[in-house]
Amino acid sequence: MTVMLADGRSMPRLGLGTWPMNDDEARQAVTHAVSLGYRLIDTAASYGNESGVGAAVADAPVAREELFVTTKLRGSHHGYDAALRGFEESRRRLGLDYVDLFLIHWPLPDRGLYTETWRAFAHLREQGLARSIGVSNFTPAQIERLVAETGVRPVVNQVEMHPGFPQRELRAWLAEHDIVTESWSPLGRGSKLLGEPVVTDLAAAHGRTPAQVVLRWHVQLGAVPIPKSADPERMRQNLDVFDFALTPEEMAALDALGTGVRLGGDPDTHVEL
Ligand code: A2P
């Protein structure tokens, strides 16, 4: 149950998101998730819970190499030296020798520093401190600029994606460029999307929950969803989406829920520190 990354490494097909959890919540949730079989854990410097995630990883009853830990650089640390410092701070809070995937959290185009930041990411990968490097919330134009100026390609772009904002064009572009799409807020943050008749009807037809239907949609598209839940039963069902399939018509019905309205920030304008 992994996807191959363009750098030759592999990544689990589904993970646990940890926003918004504090250190204690993250520690508990990650501990439980690992016991359920989750192997991909997603955090970020700006979530303020890397210490909690790290504590759970340290105590996990599985080898470090079996876990895939992602964190992200916050906006205040754009720039070459600042990015190296930001990584080191994250790594210390996590208590890890290396992270599996390090992402630039937002491009912040008005700051004009993401290319310099990316050079630092390339350095971290060469040193083996970040095993894979990628971006989050980047547009194709922003990725093309990174590659043109540094020659180094991101292997993942983590973006807002759910049936309400299905990212049709972006995911096709990323697939063409051998970049894995990772979906944040894959459940559209919960209740509204999960209560849509299209979703609840499909859930009833398959004997599944609405969340499982939506997560199956991501997996069938080749995207890696990172649903957030702190609830043990929801965490269990969210991982249990690999033994049923949606038909092409059912996939299209979910895609048709797209509204063009984001729940989160726009990559061209979002400001985050
Ligand atoms: P909770 O943490 O109380 O389980 P997203 O990952 O799209 O941001 O969605 C997260 C939201 O969806 C949270 O409010 C979470 O609540 C809720 N959620 C997560 N899993 C499920 C599920 N299986 N069924 C219903 N709601 C869920």
Side-chain angles (χ1 to χ4, degrees):
M1 290 206 304
T2 58
V3 290
M4 281 305 290
L5 301 175
D7 60 12
R9 298 191 165 271
S10 61
M11 174 179 180
R13 288 181 73 184
L14 186 150
L16 180 75
T18 64
W19 180 85
M21 293 181 190
N22 64 26
D23 274 324
D24 284 346
E25 290 164 336
R27 181 176 187 159
Q28 268 189 16
V30 172
T31 299
H32 192 70
V34 172
S35 77
L36 287 170
Y38 283 80
R39 292 295 177 262
L40 162 55
I41 311 295
D42 184 272
T43 181
S46 65
Y47 298 171
N49 63 21
E50 288 174 311
S51 302
V53 169
V57 169
D59 291 344
V62 298
R64 168 68 185 94
E65 308 77 66
E66 282 190 43
L67 297 174
F68 189 99
V69 180
T70 301
T71 194
K72 314 184 194 81
L73 183 81
R74 66 192 312 158
S76 55
H77 286 70
H78 271 224
Y80 190 89
D81 292 334
L84 294 182
R85 271 201 314 279
F87 176 80
E88 195 49 31
E89 287 165 17
S90 282
R91 197 171 70 85
R92 274 207 218 113
R93 280 190 296 267
L94 285 162
L96 297 176
D97 295 335
Y98 68 91
V99 302
D100 295 277
L101 177 64
F102 193 40
L103 305 176
I104 302 181
H105 204 151
W106 288 93
L108 308 181
D110 288 351
R111 304 270 306 280
L113 287 171
Y114 61 75
T115 318
E116 278 316 298
T117 304
W118 189 239
R119 289 189 212 283
F121 274 54
H123 177 70
L124 290 165
R125 192 190 55 190
E126 276 160 24
Q127 292 202 312
L129 293 168
R131 296 278 161 98
S132 294
I133 53 174
V135 294
S136 184
N137 303 303
F138 272 55
T139 63
Q142 290 161 348
I143 292 175
E144 270 172 347
R145 187 169 156 211
L146 279 189
V147 177
E149 294 190 16
T150 68
V152 180
R153 314 181 63 82
V155 296
V156 169
N157 188 17
Q158 184 186 116
V159 296
E160 175 176 347
M161 179 166 142
H162 44 80
F165 197 73
Q167 296 276 26
R168 275 179 222 106
E169 283 173 23
L170 178 63
R171 75 191 185 224
W173 189 90
L174 292 171
E176 251 170 57
H177 292 80
D178 207 6
I179 298 171
V180 168
T181 304
E182 194 176 11
S183 321
W184 62 255
S185 282
L187 301 173
R189 296 195 181 152
S191 52
K192 186 166 177 298
L193 173 65
L194 300 181
E196 288 284 348
V198 174
V199 178
T200 54
D201 287 355
L202 285 177
H206 286 273
R208 295 287 172 151
T209 67
Q212 287 177 316
V213 166
V214 170
L215 293 170
R216 181 68 207 176
W217 173 84
H218 288 273
V219 166
Q220 275 184 228
L221 290 172
V224 174
I226 45 168
K228 174 263 168 188
S229 182
D231 178 89
E233 163 50 27
R234 287 177 173 178
M235 284 163 72
R236 186 203 60 72
Q237 55 168 272
N238 291 350
L239 189 60
D240 183 19
V241 299
F242 295 97
D243 61 350
F244 75 107
L246 300 169
T247 65
E249 293 74 29
E250 292 171 336
M251 292 290 287
L254 289 167
D255 249 59
L257 291 172
T259 59
V261 179
R262 296 175 187 274
L263 300 173
D266 185 319
D268 281 321
T269 54
H270 183 75
V271 177
E272 173 256 11
L273 292 174

